[in-house]
Amino acid sequence: MSEITFSRRAALLGAAALPIVQGARAQRRPPSIAISSANGVAACAKALEVVRAGGDTLDAVIAGVNIVELDPNDNSVGYGGLPNEEGVVELDASVMHGPTRRGGAVAAIRGIKTPSKVAQRVMEDTDHMMLVGEGALRFAKDQGFLEEDLLTEQSRLSWLVWRRSLKDSSGHNNWGPGLDSPPGARKTAVLERLKQEFPQATEAMLALAWEHATNPPHGTINCLVLNDKGEMSGVTTTSGLAWKIPGRVGDSPLIGAGLYVDQEVGAAGSTGRGEENIRIAGAHTIVENMRHGMSPKDAALDALKRAARNFGNDAKRLEPIDLNFYVLRNDGEYAGASLWNKRANGAAPQFAVATADRASQRENSVYLYERK
Ligand code: ASP
């Protein structure tokens, strides 16, 4: 009973406070600004260029992330993304358009380099929210998208090397020299053996493949934009976790987890281990936190705390988890926030920002925990 009284009073207070907050923000014209995950310096520059030329906010972020989706050297998004355990690239993407409050998504789609554009078509040309797998590919082809092989020479090599890195408990796998081969052949150091097996690959390609095989990288691009009319849109697009089970879907295509936009408040998106983000509906949580008055930074740190709480706040269990949020409020205030102060490779977590008066560049994210 007392809970009902409390929440009614809170609702009344909230409703009364809202016009004042919105009134204060509405006095200033919002700055045009784009933010994204760290791999989106060029994407933010593009998104900002499109909105400053008067383009639609969703077209702007999609034009931005298309650069990364089509980049064969980004191994976590679109073409060149690392494949699933069967060597097939499966992509996830979602979009949200603030002005019309609509969204669209595709998951586990194969063969299409720009899944963000397919998600936009789902939003605009269907009354569905998400298409997956075979259905998503058929829809994309019907819409005129070209089905292509998304593996590059590097990502195929990385997958082959990953398969060769798997061993049973006695240290054996089916891809090395047979048990009946002379002992010398079995002893050759890994990279030496890989050189013999893949004579066409350069040493740099093999070294990168070995790195991918033994430390599967994370990655995705999330990009959010605000124009000077206060309109906002967002997109998240990814090849998901490297070597995943075919059919695995991460947080990126899930509205409310990998992406959420409500231009009356703001927008948020995520990269990192999708399973942990899905469990806290991270992007929606962050936007709702801002709706209730938190700053972008505090809203994201609160979401990270919820993810940590799912592990009993045990730093040891959280150690292997990479989780990052990107947040843009509708007045132009923004933040990047990460679970750890260093990524597994030792680098500080960052995000990209482009504004009208400053070229697109990276900034450091705030974080919840420090790695020793
Ligand atoms: N969030 C993505 C997923 O779980 C992967 C990533 O950002 O590394 O699919």
Side-chain angles (χ1 to χ4, degrees):
M1 187 66 195
S2 65
E3 259 180 41
I4 292 171
T5 316
F6 172 76
S7 56
R8 268 202 198 133
R9 196 179 298 150
L12 282 172
L13 277 174
L18 211 53
I20 301 170
V21 175
Q22 283 180 344
R25 289 207 195 128
Q27 281 166 15
R28 272 192 296 136
R29 212 174 148 82
S32 296
I33 175 167
I35 78 164
S36 78
S37 39
N39 53 351
V41 173
C44 283
K46 183 71 188 172
L48 194 72
E49 179 194 312
V50 174
V51 292
R52 294 195 74 205
D56 174 73
T57 47
L58 185 56
D59 290 339
V61 284
I62 289 178
V65 301
N66 285 168
I67 298 170
V68 185
E69 288 177 325
L70 295 171
D71 178 356
N73 295 318
D74 189 305
N75 52 48
S76 66
V77 179
Y79 178 52
L82 294 176
N84 65 22
E85 65 180 14
E86 291 174 354
V88 181
V89 180
E90 287 185 338
L91 305 173
D92 296 339
S94 62
V95 300
M96 281 193 89
H97 184 240
T100 55
R101 312 182 75 85
R102 288 191 301 166
V106 288
I109 186 172
R110 301 176 169 195
I112 305 289
K113 283 181 174 170
T114 52
S116 64
K117 282 187 169 173
V118 186
Q120 185 182 26
R121 294 255 68 82
V122 172
M123 182 189 97
E124 289 177 351
D125 296 343
T126 77
D127 73 346
H128 301 339
M129 200 74 182
M130 179 188 273
L131 296 178
V132 307
E134 181 57 35
L137 173 59
R138 284 217 298 270
F139 168 79
K141 283 165 50 178
D142 289 349
Q143 297 279 325
F145 287 83
L146 199 63
E147 185 180 5
E148 294 174 271
D149 181 1
L150 302 186
L151 285 175
T152 56
E153 223 185 310
Q154 177 68 56
S155 60
R156 187 191 311 275
L157 178 72
S158 294
W159 171 64
L160 292 172
V161 169
W162 168 74
R163 227 169 39 167
R164 279 159 175 73
S165 75
L166 303 177
K167 294 196 174 76
D168 67 18
S169 55
S170 63
H172 175 72
N173 75 18
N174 295 331
W175 296 97
L179 290 175
D180 56 352
S181 56
R186 294 211 304 274
K187 275 205 193 120
T188 329
V190 183
L191 272 177
E192 280 310 310
R193 236 186 46 218
L194 290 174
K195 268 193 233 165
Q196 291 164 15
E197 286 172 37
F198 301 102
Q200 78 292 359
T202 64
E203 274 199 32
M205 284 174 75
L206 284 172
L208 184 59
W210 185 246
E211 177 60 26
H212 286 161
T214 49
N215 282 313
H218 274 296
T220 291
I221 181 164
N222 163 248
C223 186
L224 308 169
V225 79
L226 166 71
N227 70 13
D228 64 5
K229 290 187 252 165
E231 294 169 339
M232 304 186 79
S233 288
V235 57
T236 303
T237 174
T238 189
S239 52
L241 299 184
W243 330 133
K244 62 193 172 185
I245 297 172
R248 179 263 185 191
V249 170
D251 59 326
S252 308
L254 302 183
I255 302 283
L259 175 70
Y260 197 68
V261 178
D262 178 347
Q263 67 179 33
E264 279 162 32
V265 178
S270 183
T271 62
R273 205 182 131 72
E275 281 71 6
E276 302 324 320
N277 184 30
I278 293 169
R279 286 209 278 167
I280 59 157
H284 183 262
T285 294
I286 290 170
V287 172
E288 294 312 298
N289 281 345
M290 291 196 290
R291 194 190 304 280
H292 296 110
M294 282 190 199
S295 66
K297 182 181 99 178
D298 290 344
L301 286 172
D302 174 71
L304 289 165
K305 282 181 195 155
R306 293 181 195 214
R309 195 188 54 189
N310 285 341
F311 287 75
N313 300 311
D314 180 341
K316 245 200 154 62
R317 289 174 65 209
L318 286 162
E319 176 82 40
I321 293 169
D322 175 38
L323 186 57
N324 316 287
F325 290 113
Y326 314 96
V327 193
L328 180 58
R329 203 167 59 188
N330 69 350
D331 61 353
E333 190 71 32
Y334 62 87
S338 296
L339 192 58
W340 292 99
N341 66 329
K342 286 186 206 155
R343 305 193 62 170
N345 63 8
Q350 293 190 310
F351 63 105
V353 191
T355 61
D357 47 13
R358 229 187 43 188
S360 188
Q361 57 188 272
R362 293 198 181 100
E363 290 186 17
N364 285 344
S365 299
V366 295
Y367 55 83
L368 197 60
Y369 292 121
E370 283 192 12
R371 273 187 215 281
K372 301 245 165 61

